[in-house]
Amino acid sequence: MKFKEERFLKKALAEFIGTFTLVLFGTGTAVLGGGIEGIGTPGIALAFGLSIVAMAYSIGTISGCHINPAVSIAMFINKRMPLKELCIYLVAQILGGIVATLTLRTFLLASSLSTDNLGQNGFGALSASGAFLVEMILTFIFVLVVLTTTGKQGNAAFAGLAIGLTLTLVHLLGIPLTGTSVNPARSIAPALFTGQAALSELWLFILAPIVGGVLAALVSKFVLSSEK
């Protein structure tokens, strides 16, 4: 029993660290890099993608480097993890995102910069249905790549690179539209700390990625046979 608890603790810590890294470097680059007008969409997209690559090859052997509730839920649906482990992952990921946003906010305050922008997502010029479709499709593509590359027919040696590049790809399209979430843990903390529109629109950036992840789980399992 003690061994099992230690294993769960290590996985939770790995997911916390991984999500912390993703949110801090991804949103931090978007905010401190001057947003789209500064470092540009490619630079922000690359920051998110490189964060995934770095974490995949460091904590991947410990927790699988989900660092995204949509990925963990998809893994649960495809019976790659039990319910108890899923719950632990979700809590660790959300806490990792919150601490990352607190850290970014501390950086901004220490630099006498505004904390109005913490990399929060939003509908932008889209309607709610349009933003939902964007986030659902982008998450579907991302999670599908995660599931197939880490599945029984995937190439584990290159999985981290493929997943990181895919996250970069979806950000290239998604940043000008919604700021790109595809990850509830990435969206929750910035919305909580900035409030207003970001908080009122948060439901979409939780629900749409989960729906996209669920669809990806079903397609990978029943169409692409990732679990055989």
Side-chain angles (χ1 to χ4, degrees):
M1 182 64 70
K2 183 179 180 181
F3 174 77
K4 184 176 291 188
E5 290 176 352
E6 289 179 353
R7 183 167 60 86
F8 276 137
L9 181 59
K10 285 183 179 180
K11 288 185 175 183
L13 182 58
E15 286 297 304
F16 174 89
I17 293 171
T19 311
F20 172 86
T21 302
L22 175 71
V23 175
L24 178 63
F25 282 87
T27 60
T29 299
V31 175
L32 294 171
I36 297 174
E37 296 79 12
I39 192 173
T41 295
I44 299 169
L46 194 58
F48 278 100
L50 288 176
S51 297
I52 283 283
V53 173
M55 291 299 99
Y57 290 110
S58 56
I59 67 169
T61 56
I62 300 172
S63 69
C65 189
H66 297 183
I67 61 179
N68 183 337
V71 171
S72 296
I73 291 171
M75 292 287 186
F76 171 73
I77 290 174
N78 282 1
K79 299 182 179 180
R80 295 198 200 179
M81 65 189 308
L83 180 59
K84 180 180 178 181
E85 192 167 271
L86 170 64
C87 294
I88 292 172
Y89 273 47
L90 296 181
V91 171
Q93 291 159 2
I94 293 171
L95 288 177
I98 289 174
V99 175
T101 300
L102 275 172
T103 302
L104 175 58
R105 191 171 185 275
T106 300
F107 290 167
L108 295 174
L109 289 173
S111 304
S112 298
L113 297 174
S114 172
T115 57
D116 292 339
N117 178 16
L118 294 175
Q120 60 269 27
N121 296 112
F123 294 176
L126 297 172
S127 63
S129 59
F132 192 99
L133 188 62
V134 167
E135 287 294 326
M136 183 183 70
I137 291 174
L138 294 185
T139 307
F140 170 81
I141 294 169
F142 174 65
V143 177
L144 188 67
V145 171
V146 173
L147 293 171
T148 54
T149 57
T150 59
K152 293 182 179 179
Q153 300 183 53
N155 189 332
F158 294 98
L161 183 60
I163 293 167
L165 289 175
T166 303
L167 188 63
T168 301
L169 177 66
V170 300
H171 272 79
L172 289 173
L173 176 61
I175 287 173
L177 297 173
T178 62
T180 312
S181 171
V182 303
N183 183 342
R186 169 260 182 273
S187 299
I188 290 173
L192 290 177
F193 286 105
T194 56
Q196 301 179 0
L199 191 58
S200 67
E201 297 172 356
L202 178 59
W203 65 270
L204 186 144
F205 298 103
I206 295 175
L207 183 59
I210 291 175
V211 172
V214 170
L215 291 175
L218 298 175
V219 170
S220 70
K221 181 176 182 177
F222 296 110
V223 179
L224 302 180
S225 303
S226 64
E227 311 308 305
K228 295 182 179 179

